[in-house]
Amino acid sequence: MKMINQNASLKGSSITINYLLSASFRYCSIIIFLFCSLTTWAQPRYSPEVRSKKEIQWLKDSLQINDAQLNKISAISLSYQQDMDKAANQPDKKKRQAKLMKKMDAEMKTILDHGQYIRYYNREELIRKQDARVYKGHQPM
């Protein structure tokens, strides 16, 4: 009889250990999942200079802009990115940013030729639609 009781108590403890391990595994998995999902939402905010350089690089690669266009666009892009950062800290930021986007589009239209501008505008429109999905309430221009 003693042997059966010892086996039963060992069997019970192994079930408890397995349960605890599986429960702790589940909790650890949930914590890791939550941590990973939070870190993916927290994307870095690049400086205006970095954002401007990335935009100019895309323009050079995709639109084959010439040196005269590049000089004009570089100044406009940096100013635009700096103004967007300033507008982001204002209470009416959506209106200010929308106004800046329209201004940037108008300036780009004067610098780029028709084909370049169409490609530029289509890209901007796509980015704004994606932002509208991510940041609900913002309407693309």
Side-chain angles (χ1 to χ4, degrees):
M1 216 43 183
K2 285 186 177 181
M3 192 163 191
I4 294 173
N5 286 340
Q6 287 176 346
N7 286 340
S9 65
L10 286 176
K11 196 174 197 179
S13 64
S14 67
I15 291 171
T16 305
I17 291 172
N18 286 338
Y19 175 75
L20 289 176
L21 287 175
S22 65
S24 63
F25 177 75
R26 279 186 256 148
Y27 292 126
C28 287
S29 299
I30 291 170
I31 289 170
I32 290 170
F33 172 76
L34 289 174
F35 178 73
C36 290
S37 63
L38 288 176
T39 57
T40 58
W41 287 333
Q43 296 179 357
R45 177 81 174 154
Y46 295 108
S47 70
E49 293 80 12
V50 171
R51 293 192 316 266
S52 178
K53 285 180 184 177
K54 286 183 177 193
E55 181 176 36
I56 291 167
Q57 187 62 49
W58 180 85
L59 291 168
K60 283 175 23 182
D61 294 343
S62 301
L63 304 182
Q64 292 79 37
I65 59 175
N66 60 40
D67 290 338
Q69 290 173 317
L70 178 65
N71 291 334
K72 292 176 185 176
I73 292 171
S74 295
I76 292 170
S77 177
L78 181 58
S79 174
Y80 169 76
Q81 295 297 340
Q82 291 169 339
D83 291 344
M84 287 297 272
D85 276 3
K86 290 176 189 173
N89 297 324
Q90 301 297 319
D92 58 344
K93 71 179 183 179
K94 290 180 187 176
K95 286 182 183 179
R96 289 179 187 248
Q97 288 177 335
K99 189 175 181 180
L100 287 169
M101 285 183 229
K102 285 182 181 180
K103 180 183 173 191
M104 175 75 168
D105 290 344
E107 289 176 344
M108 292 298 281
K109 193 171 191 175
T110 64
I111 297 169
L112 300 173
D113 67 35
H114 183 71
Q116 289 173 325
Y117 180 74
I118 295 298
R119 287 189 302 247
Y120 160 79
Y121 188 79
N122 287 338
R123 175 182 175 256
E124 289 298 311
E125 194 173 58
L126 179 67
I127 290 169
R128 292 169 191 171
K129 285 179 183 176
Q130 288 172 344
D131 285 348
R133 276 185 247 138
V134 174
Y135 305 108
K136 295 192 184 331
H138 171 76
Q139 297 300 316
M141 299 306 301

